[in-house]
Amino acid sequence: MLELTMASVSGADAGATAGMLMAEAPSEAGAVLRVGRDASVCRLVTPEDWLFVSRVHLEFRCGPDGSWSVTWLRGSNPDPASEVRMLPGGAAWPLAYGGGAPLSRGGSGEVVIQDRSGPRSVNVGFYHEG
């Protein structure tokens, strides 16, 4: 099972959290959880006016062996308006635009979508049961 929590944070609001959302999915081949602005296809939805987040920005997908990965989907712009960082177990590293990374079984961490033009971010915490 993969559990996600999402917080939308704006520095303009002195660190206020715009909302906390949760989603989960069983570790079955083909299971998908998406994060973005489009509520018709995303389980975790950011504010519509946060244009640094794509309609479908992140996709968490379960592979045939029950392991999960995350992909930063390429949007319609050649250069993204955000940066995405992985923070598994406390270590931070960038996720490439259009790139992906596996999530370790029994592991937890965070994926952060950071607005390049302002102090806003979307923090998606994850826990992948072992």
Side-chain angles (χ1 to χ4, degrees):
M1 172 153 321
L2 181 71
E3 297 175 358
L4 300 178
T5 58
M6 183 184 83
S8 301
V9 182
S10 174
D13 297 328
T17 300
M20 181 71 74
L21 302 171
M22 298 178 73
E24 64 182 29
S27 292
E28 297 173 355
V32 175
L33 290 170
R34 293 184 183 98
V35 177
R37 293 188 340 260
D38 188 342
S40 70
V41 293
C42 296
R43 292 274 301 276
L44 297 176
V45 182
T46 65
E48 279 188 35
D49 62 341
W50 285 29
L51 300 180
F52 70 96
V53 178
S54 301
R55 282 184 344 91
V56 182
H57 203 93
L58 298 175
E59 182 175 83
F60 292 83
R61 181 175 291 275
C62 188
D65 63 351
S67 64
W68 285 86
S69 62
V70 60
T71 302
W72 179 7
L73 301 173
R74 291 188 69 88
S76 58
N77 295 321
D79 296 315
S82 62
E83 296 176 357
V84 175
R85 292 186 320 276
M86 297 286 300
L87 289 96
W93 49 273
L95 186 61
Y97 187 42
L103 305 180
S104 61
R105 287 182 188 263
S108 64
E110 193 171 21
V111 182
V112 178
I113 305 168
Q114 180 70 50
D115 186 352
R116 286 187 171 169
S117 67
R120 297 180 297 183
S121 67
V122 176
N123 299 43
V124 180
F126 63 85
Y127 174 69
H128 182 199
E129 288 184 354

